[in-house]
Amino acid sequence: MAKSNMNMLQYLQSKTQVDFDNLDMDAYNELINPHRAALIKKAAALAHQIRKDYPEMVACAQTIVPNITGAILVMANPLFAYSTQKTFDNGRRLYAIATRLQPSFDTSRLIVKVASTWEGLQACRKLKELGVKTLATTAFTLEQCILAGEVGCIYVSPFLNELRAAVEPDYHDEEPIFDIIVDAQRYFKEHGYPIRVKACAALTTDQILRLAGVDAFTAPADQLQELVNMEGPPPASLFLEDGGLENGDGAAENGHVGEKTNGHANGETNGHANGETNGYTNGGTNGHANGDSNGAVNGQTDGHAAKKDGKKKLAKRTFIDDESAYRLAFAKADSGRGQLKTTQALNIFSEYQIKAEAMMGDADMTMIG
């Protein structure tokens, strides 16, 4: 329980690493603001200068990096989500660009966000071999989370609500995937995977607080400010009720906001920002919020081995070398809704990627002209 003098952000930080996040759409809208015109021209000029080595690059992130502590997350081009080779090349290029723009930059801080498609996660497997850190984004199913853990991602970001809910004000996700987030963290701990769950896409502060105890949570500025203005007692957490991180195992060190992520640059747009998303994603399934459907929140599903504490251990599964088994399991998950929401999210991200590339192309032509 939170102390009486704690606001809700402090309470959340005592249980979970809290990161700042923003929507790709917000980043795009910021870049088309007239007061960013000089920066866009500078980015286009730099891209033109080194185009021989890097046909596509990022420069806008340079203006953000000094204000960030901890890791810096940069999203791989969503247009490459279904190409392992292109996503792999994009990840390598991002590391090379970061060093080119700032030779003193500590690349260990850089984490590449990759779409949770089969192809994207196989690219993460190859990037890990090069020492490139990755986060699996746009995850809506436990199957995606499991594969992310197998390929060596250091984070996976399940979207609590589907992305459509963030871009269409009148649309509401009726089934947030609370159960997937809880089960993913339990699965990794039970089977010894070092990957951490970085949940995102809450639509309300109440949804965030219900996940106090998740390894990490990314939220936009308005939700963080709302949490600052709120005082306890907090709503019951699904993690704490489930025997989760009662001792604050998932909290950020020293209880501070950990990483200011996203909106940091998309990696493929001659210098535009494109970060992780917030307030979007997924649909949970059948009573997931309260865990009364087949024991979803508690992971008490048929065929799972019993644990000494009476809870059933989530059965270990493997997909890393079995594409057909993965695709079948992913397609069946949540009656196909997870697959649909993943595709929907990638379509939305790709739409803004294309807009940003067009904007940078116009800036480049103006510079040449």
Side-chain angles (χ1 to χ4, degrees), residues 15-285:
K15 306 296 181 184
T16 291
Q17 176 180 301
V18 181
D19 302 333
F20 171 76
D21 196 4
N22 71 327
L23 287 167
D24 291 11
M25 306 75 162
D26 295 334
Y28 173 76
N29 291 333
E30 175 66 16
L31 288 175
I32 62 175
N33 191 305
H35 83 273
R36 291 293 188 184
L39 175 62
I40 297 302
K41 289 182 179 180
K42 178 181 178 181
L46 183 56
H48 186 73
Q49 177 185 342
I50 64 174
R51 181 170 294 168
K52 179 180 178 181
D53 298 322
Y54 305 106
E56 297 135 329
M57 63 157 296
V58 177
C60 296
Q62 284 183 303
T63 66
I64 304 172
V65 169
N67 301 314
I68 300 171
T69 60
I72 299 170
L73 281 78
V74 182
M75 189 168 180
N77 193 329
L79 297 174
F80 298 161
Y82 297 99
S83 171
T84 295
Q85 188 61 48
K86 288 183 178 180
T87 300
F88 173 69
D89 291 341
N90 190 190
R92 289 193 305 172
R93 184 183 301 121
L94 288 171
Y95 265 61
I97 289 172
T99 303
R100 175 72 176 263
L101 294 179
Q102 186 178 334
S104 62
F105 178 72
D106 178 6
T107 54
S108 69
R109 297 177 60 196
L110 184 61
I111 301 173
V112 180
K113 296 188 300 179
V114 176
S116 294
T117 58
W118 169 264
E119 296 83 359
L121 293 174
Q122 292 300 321
C124 292
R125 184 181 187 180
K126 296 175 62 178
L127 288 168
K128 183 178 186 296
E129 295 174 355
L130 297 181
V132 177
K133 298 176 181 178
T134 58
L135 173 150
T137 188
T138 61
F140 295 89
T141 68
L142 185 58
E143 287 72 16
Q144 290 168 298
C145 295
I146 291 172
L147 184 55
E150 288 193 285
V151 300
C153 295
I154 68 169
Y155 283 111
V156 61
S157 282
F159 284 21
L160 179 58
N161 296 280
E162 59 185 294
L163 184 54
R164 180 183 174 190
V167 297
E168 296 181 19
D170 295 332
Y171 179 80
H172 300 283
D173 188 346
E174 298 298 330
E175 295 181 319
I177 58 163
F178 288 103
D179 67 309
I180 301 297
I181 294 171
V182 172
D183 281 353
Q185 186 157 309
R186 281 193 56 213
Y187 183 91
F188 297 141
K189 291 184 182 300
E190 289 175 357
H191 297 293
Y193 287 96
I195 185 173
R196 303 179 73 210
V197 175
K198 187 189 288 285
C200 65
L203 296 180
T204 67
T205 53
D206 181 73
Q207 287 186 337
I208 295 175
L209 292 170
R210 291 184 67 192
L211 290 172
V214 69
D215 290 327
F217 205 108
T218 59
D222 59 339
Q223 289 181 345
L224 294 176
Q225 185 59 57
E226 185 176 344
L227 288 169
V228 169
N229 296 334
M230 293 172 60
E231 295 185 355
S237 166
L238 295 175
F239 278 94
L240 304 184
E241 290 177 347
D242 191 42
L245 307 182
E246 293 179 348
N247 295 321
D249 295 347
E253 187 175 13
N254 298 324
H256 72 282
V257 174
E259 303 148 342
K260 297 183 178 180
T261 66
N262 301 330
H264 295 338
N266 179 290
E268 281 303 306
T269 66
N270 294 339
H272 88 279
N274 176 15
E276 169 79 335
T277 71
N278 226 67
Y280 29 77
T281 46
N282 206 60
T285 63

Side-chain angles (χ1 to χ4, degrees), residues 12 46 51 71 98 147 166 174 219 273 293 321 323 339 353 355:
L12 183 64
L46 183 56
R51 181 170 294 168
L147 184 55
E174 298 298 330
S293 171
D321 292 316
E323 180 178 354
Q339 185 177 45
Q353 171 75 25
K355 288 181 179 181

